[in-house]
Amino acid sequence: MKIGIAGAGAVGGYFGAYLKQAGHDVVFLARGKHLEAMKQSGLTIIENHDERMTIHGVFTEDLSSFLDASLILFCVKSPDTRATAEQIKSLGNDDSIILTLQNGVDNEEILIDIFGEERVLSAATYISSHVEKPGVIKQEGVVKLIIGALHEAGVPTCQQIADVLNEANIDTAMSDSIMESKWKKVLWNATFNPLAALSQATVGEILDDEELRMTAEQVCREVLAVANKNGIPLGEKMLDVTFKKAEFARGHKPSMLQDRLHGKQMEIESLSGYFVKKGRELSVETPATQALYSNLLFIENGQHVVKR
């Protein structure tokens, strides 16, 4: 199978490497120093400190390489979703299946708008990985995908893709309510990602600081309220579940914090702004989330001011 990896960073590069090792024709879309390093020396995956594999393949910034791909893993940052999707759509490949492994619960709406509901699959992605240096991805802990179709017509295809992923040693399960699974995952992200990015604290520091923890718990309650009002039945117990999961990631610097530290654009809209705006739409108050959102927007806009 020809597979395109739209965004061969910490997540896309990891899964693409396993698919390449399994014998698939994989095209990795990347840019900058990461792309140049992969072109020169291949892509190296380091797992659990000492397990290492290096794969060689097609590394490019030319989206036309996706023209005849049967499957595209959509792994770009949320702010790039629409532009990247429209470029892929313009290739005229109307048969490819799009599987989003992105954060948030809003990217599906954009992808459905561009590709149609039957072609889009979604995944709740459980992985702790980062680009250690250009061309090298480091991953620690357990990796798991939960994938599902967004339209009943896509269920058979979803099963086929799940089989492909499992055969490539990627632990993958199917869900008949994938968006509920995604909301459960985004609950953790919306609680810890924006707060970590703003405070520059690790997950453990948020848990141990009384004031930061109170803010995190309030944000979690607000996102839960938005989910339930939006028709996603998440019980109050999900607050405890979310914080118990956080205990296993104490040393982790969430992706938004990593982006801020590296001067990259943060996923502010998908992991914060979406819940503020959806809350307004549904008449759910989100004051703590609003405070994080407005502060992060101010910080990011300031980073892009041209200094004279």
Side-chain angles (χ1 to χ4, degrees), residues 7 13 18 27 36 68-69 103 119 138 167 179 187 190 193 203 211 217 220 222 226 265 286 303:
Y18 268 82
V27 177
E36 292 307 314
D68 53 350
N103 284 325
R119 288 179 61 191
K138 189 171 184 180
E167 288 166 6
M179 291 312 297
L187 185 61
N193 252 293
V203 172
E211 297 298 329
E217 290 176 353
C220 192
E222 290 173 6
V226 172
Q265 188 174 13
T286 58
Q303 287 177 343

Side-chain angles (χ1 to χ4, degrees), residues 38-94:
M38 291 190 292
K39 282 183 173 181
Q40 292 178 13
S41 306
L43 171 59
T44 296
I45 306 294
I46 301 174
E47 290 192 82
N48 300 318
H49 304 295
D50 56 0
E51 299 175 26
R52 179 184 295 257
M53 73 170 174
T54 299
I55 60 99
H56 298 273
V58 178
F59 304 103
T60 182
E61 57 185 347
D62 183 6
L63 260 172
S64 65
S65 301
F66 286 6
L67 180 59
D68 53 350
S70 299
L71 172 65
I72 296 174
L73 299 192
F74 208 88
C75 307
V76 301
K77 292 288 188 179
S78 295
D80 297 326
T81 295
R82 183 169 292 278
T84 304
E86 288 176 344
Q87 289 179 58
I88 293 173
K89 176 69 173 178
S90 71
L91 297 175
N93 182 2
D94 296 330

